Amino acid sequence: MDKHHQNVWNNCLTSIRERIPIASYRTWFEPIVPLKLEKRVLTIQVPSTFFYEYIEDKYIDILSLSLRNELGEDAKLEYRLPAKTGGVKLNSTVDFTTPSTFTQTKVSTKQPTHVEKHTKLNSFVIPGAKTKVQVNPQLNHRYTMNAFVVGDCNRLAQSAGMEISQNPGGTAYNPFVVHGESGLGKTHLVQAIGFEIKNHFPDKAVLYVTANRFQTQYTEAVRNNNINSFIQYYQNIDVLIIDDIHEFKGKDKTQQSFFHIFNHLHQLNKQLILTSDTHPANLDGMEKRLLSRFKWGLITELVMPDHETRLAILKAKMKKDAVIFPIDVLEMIAANVSGSIRELESAIVTLSAPFKLMKRQITIESAREAIDKMIKSTKRELSIDSIQKIICDYYNMTPELLYSKCRKREIVQVRQICMYFAKSLTKLSLSTIGASLGGKDHATVLHANKTVINLMETDKKYRVQIGELEKKLKG
């Protein structure tokens, strides 16, 4: 009986998932799409040529074993790129009994060796305006691709970014959405892509803007009765990079304007690059039609760096700051500071101060003492999503109930507890907290905070629950 290509691939994934770390599985196998199965040749679609090369280098043994178990010893594998790849066509058939071959019609992959010190300003005329509008890319020259340390935690996103820089708006990665916790390099990566595009296409209008800045500009445009010029300005951008798109949550009018800008740019094959602190599917308080458009392109996640990548980040930071630490010190830092890239860079700054200012040599003992103090004094900032998850798990409740309009007493109480901890354990505004929990306003958050405090004073069982949750949240 003939096997269906989707079933064969699903069985392969089950086998592969058991043999490699979950982070590697999500990065390198979840994005693959099975296309067809003909005469024991399984055709799969991979996002990029780099993707193909990495799988062939790192995972071909596991992949071949899984496929042979499904189709027999004469199983073969064929790779293809997405149809919309700017003219790049990949057609590689792998016979697992012989070395694999790879052929494609290539576009230029030559990379710039530097970043222009003076990025070209572009200009255009908005209908009805008397003068040309100049576009400053707003890119930070520290955030280049050469300074971006690549590891398993970000390799897929970086690879996709490099392909985008070769053909902005002409790949399958439009929009390109990068999500992950704070401090993992999202801003660095998207700005680096902006620089690469400017180097390849100096005449393209590239613009980096934070969601907060976009919101401020929108508010000013409304106040000055200038909303049409605001939208027309953004609709003339060739590559629009918006950082922290999650800050649009609950801001309906801003989302409506961005929706029109998004549609216009996408229809003209202009490139959109977005970042978020969470997967778009988890962005409550966003228009569904906007979220659906985020899924049109590629969504990638940046995760915490592994030990090898942490070492590479430390060495890069050490070189940039012109300090020299013994390798055992770097190993110690990499083993003990396992959080974000910001924390790793902070460790180098902390240790380099006595080295630079007082000419003290860095020893493993002094380094360990300094890192211990740094770890104890650094409180990991919780995200509102992680707070909601921990509290929902504690009460055995789904997050969807929190976002609903249900007024059942037990649901309302859990929602209030989430607001209470979000207010006390994060730096988020009251309006942002409320918007993240079913579109509530700041007054609702204040009321929830007072309610929780009052209940703790009068209800012993409730007070115990809050205490247990606090321990879980502070870890």
Side-chain angles (χ1 to χ4, degrees), residues 15-231:
S15 175
I16 292 167
R17 192 186 299 116
E18 295 171 351
R19 290 176 166 84
I20 65 175
I22 188 63
S24 299
Y25 170 80
R26 288 173 177 169
T27 299
W28 298 108
F29 288 93
E30 283 191 349
I32 294 175
V33 178
L35 298 179
K36 62 181 179 179
L37 176 63
E38 295 179 352
K39 298 179 180 179
R40 300 187 187 277
V41 178
L42 177 66
T43 301
I44 60 175
Q45 177 180 288
V46 294
S48 67
T49 56
F50 174 84
F51 208 99
Y52 156 82
E53 292 165 357
Y54 191 85
I55 288 176
E56 285 283 285
D57 181 43
K58 300 291 185 182
Y59 299 117
I60 191 60
D61 291 339
I62 294 174
L63 184 54
S64 63
L65 175 63
S66 302
L67 194 59
R68 287 201 305 269
N69 287 339
E70 287 298 308
L71 299 178
E73 291 300 318
D74 56 346
K76 295 181 181 179
L77 187 66
E78 183 176 275
Y79 297 88
R80 292 189 186 276
L81 288 180
K84 188 181 178 183
T85 54
V88 179
K89 182 181 179 182
L90 180 157
N91 186 0
S92 171
T93 303
V94 181
D95 184 337
F96 293 124
T97 61
T98 60
S100 63
T101 57
F102 176 71
T103 59
Q104 68 168 354
T105 303
K106 291 187 176 181
V107 295
S108 172
T109 56
K110 183 179 180 181
Q111 302 300 331
T113 56
H114 67 288
V115 174
E116 296 294 338
K117 291 185 177 180
H118 303 286
T119 304
K120 179 179 178 179
L121 299 182
N122 305 97
S123 61
F124 50 79
V125 176
I126 291 178
K130 296 181 180 179
T131 59
K132 285 187 176 182
V133 177
Q134 218 171 41
V135 180
N136 185 331
Q138 301 294 328
L139 299 172
N140 188 323
H141 284 276
R142 292 183 300 141
Y143 295 148
T144 66
M145 202 61 82
N146 286 339
F148 188 79
V149 178
V150 181
D152 285 346
C153 58
N154 56 29
R155 197 181 305 276
L156 175 58
Q158 191 268 352
S159 172
M162 292 303 292
E163 290 206 18
I164 289 169
S165 71
Q166 296 283 338
N167 189 17
T171 73
Y173 314 141
N174 193 23
F176 179 49
V177 183
V178 182
H179 72 94
E181 294 183 15
S182 177
L184 296 180
K186 300 188 298 294
T187 297
H188 187 154
L189 176 60
V190 297
Q191 289 209 31
I193 296 170
F195 271 123
E196 293 292 316
I197 292 172
K198 288 299 292 183
N199 282 333
H200 288 300
F201 307 96
D203 292 329
K204 285 192 178 295
V206 175
L207 177 64
Y208 166 87
V209 63
T210 64
N212 182 268
R213 177 61 180 159
F214 184 95
Q215 166 68 20
T216 300
Q217 291 172 344
Y218 169 79
T219 302
E220 291 174 351
V222 172
R223 185 183 300 119
N224 297 324
N225 196 27
N226 203 22
I227 193 65
N228 287 337
S229 294
F230 168 81
I231 292 176

Side-chain angles (χ1 to χ4, degrees), residues 316-344:
K317 177 64 175 174
M318 187 174 66
K319 181 179 180 180
K320 180 182 177 183
D321 291 357
V323 293
I324 300 175
F325 294 163
I327 187 62
D328 58 345
V329 170
L330 294 181
E331 288 281 1
M332 186 276 297
I333 298 173
N336 289 277
V337 183
S338 56
S340 70
I341 296 171
R342 284 201 194 113
E343 290 172 343
L344 289 167

